[in-house]
Structures are given as structure tokens and as C-alpha cells.
Amino acid sequence: MRNARHIMVSYRRFILGTKHRWNAQIVSAGRLPAKQAARGLVHYRGYVEAYLEAKRAVLAGRESVDA
């Protein structure tokens, strides 16, 4: 059992930071960022699912989550 709020905050920071870096690289290469960045997040599906599970736990008022 891990702290749901900590998982939610740290995974969100990681996911958005990764997306931001990819957008910068894609724009500098001259491609459309929206499709490429969203497609790239598929590789981090586990992080996204753990983030969403932790977010649901925080909204429900639970302190711990298995993620």
C-alpha cells in the first residue's frame, strides 16, 4: 500500500514532463505535436493507469492504494 496522493502528484509530473519534452522535439522536427505525443504515451500506459487509479482513490478519500 502506497500513499495515493504522492503517486498521483509524482506520476502526473512525470507524464506531463515527458509529454512536454516530446512536444518540443516534435515541433523542432516540423511535425504536428498532438498526434505524436499522444501516441508516445502508449509506451507509458502503466504509469497512466497507476496515476488514474491513485487519482480515483484521492477523490474517494482513501489514503492508500495498490499501484
Side-chain angles (χ1 to χ4, degrees):
M1 300 296 278
R2 295 172 55 193
N3 187 346
R5 186 169 301 278
H6 174 73
I7 291 173
M8 185 182 78
V9 170
S10 60
Y11 280 22
R12 177 181 167 86
R13 188 176 300 136
F14 173 75
I15 291 166
L16 291 180
T18 302
K19 187 173 180 258
H20 176 72
R21 283 190 302 275
W22 285 347
N23 274 341
Q25 290 174 355
I26 291 166
V27 168
S28 68
R31 295 190 300 252
L32 293 175
K35 289 182 181 177
Q36 296 291 328
R39 198 173 297 142
L41 286 176
V42 170
H43 298 293
Y44 293 98
R45 180 175 289 165
Y47 283 106
V48 174
E49 288 175 1
Y51 162 72
L52 291 175
E53 183 179 340
K55 184 174 181 176
R56 286 185 204 108
V58 168
L59 292 175
R62 292 184 285 145
E63 290 292 322
S64 299
V65 67
D66 288 328

